[in-house]
Amino acid sequence: RSLVQPSGKRITAVMVALFVATALAVHPAVNAQPTGASSDQLLPTAPSAALLASDPFESLNRRIFDFNERVDSAVIRPLAEAYLETIPAPIREGLSNFLTNLDDAVSTINHALQGKPVKAASSLARVFLNTTIGIAGLRDPATEMGFAHETEDLGQTLAVWGLPSGPYLVLPLLGPSCLS
């Protein structure tokens, strides 16, 4: 298992705040207003469908992507390698199981909100079994009992409820996502 799993990206208030803070740090002229401009001149025109389909934040996304690449090579990759070299496999597996158990709890809610009662019950059973028999989720007896781990996230739930996917967005340290 990788240290950062690409599935299950969720946009939370913290992520949005981190994005806004980075946007302001990367491009401080965002708040600059031309002198003598009326408020009508400051409002952007509605983007075309072609622009929305491509990447309306392309310039910012590229800068954040470059930032993420630099942080990954300078900080995250060396930390991940040190983690793999120093932490014994059973402890790493226990931590991974614990985090998967937390994900199962979130997936239970999303399955239920998507109208998937059987999958919601299965995820809830995983949480119950792994939290009790699996010693706070450090072990994964639910998989051995035939309960498969199926991740569902808020983006999938919003899509089921009819919210269209938003524009492509690269978040600092979290990677690609969309505003939906």
Side-chain angles (χ1 to χ4, degrees):
R1 295 184 186 200
S2 66
L3 295 175
V4 178
Q5 296 180 350
S7 64
K9 298 263 185 207
R10 294 169 191 88
I11 296 205
T12 64
V14 173
M15 291 178 196
V16 172
L18 184 59
F19 169 73
V20 171
T22 302
L24 293 175
V26 173
H27 190 39
V30 166
N31 292 323
Q33 295 182 3
T35 56
S38 72
S39 61
D40 292 340
Q41 292 171 328
L42 297 177
L43 295 175
T45 59
S48 69
L51 179 63
L52 286 176
S54 60
D55 185 359
F57 305 120
E58 181 178 2
S59 176
L60 179 62
N61 284 340
R62 288 183 183 276
R63 287 189 295 238
I64 295 174
F65 178 83
D66 290 339
F67 168 78
N68 287 348
E69 288 291 307
R70 287 192 304 272
V71 170
D72 181 60
S73 63
V75 178
I76 296 175
R77 188 171 313 251
L79 284 174
E81 289 170 356
Y83 172 81
L84 291 173
E85 291 174 8
T86 58
I87 306 297
I91 294 174
R92 291 194 318 261
E93 185 177 342
L95 178 60
S96 177
N97 289 340
F98 177 79
L99 294 174
T100 300
N101 195 43
L102 294 178
D103 184 57
D104 282 331
V106 172
S107 293
T108 299
I109 295 166
N110 284 301
H111 282 304
L113 290 173
Q114 292 175 32
K116 300 176 182 177
V118 173
K119 289 186 176 188
S122 177
S123 289
L124 183 60
R126 283 185 57 82
V127 172
F128 177 76
L129 291 168
N130 289 342
T131 301
T132 57
I133 300 170
I135 311 166
L138 297 175
R139 292 185 40 248
D140 184 11
T143 298
E144 296 167 13
M145 295 177 175
F147 293 95
H149 171 68
E150 296 185 51
T151 298
E152 293 288 339
D153 63 40
L154 182 60
Q156 293 167 303
T157 300
L158 294 174
V160 167
W161 283 82
L163 185 68
S165 179
Y168 180 75
L169 180 66
V170 179
L171 298 171
L173 304 176
L174 300 172
S177 190
C178 64
L179 290 175
S180 60

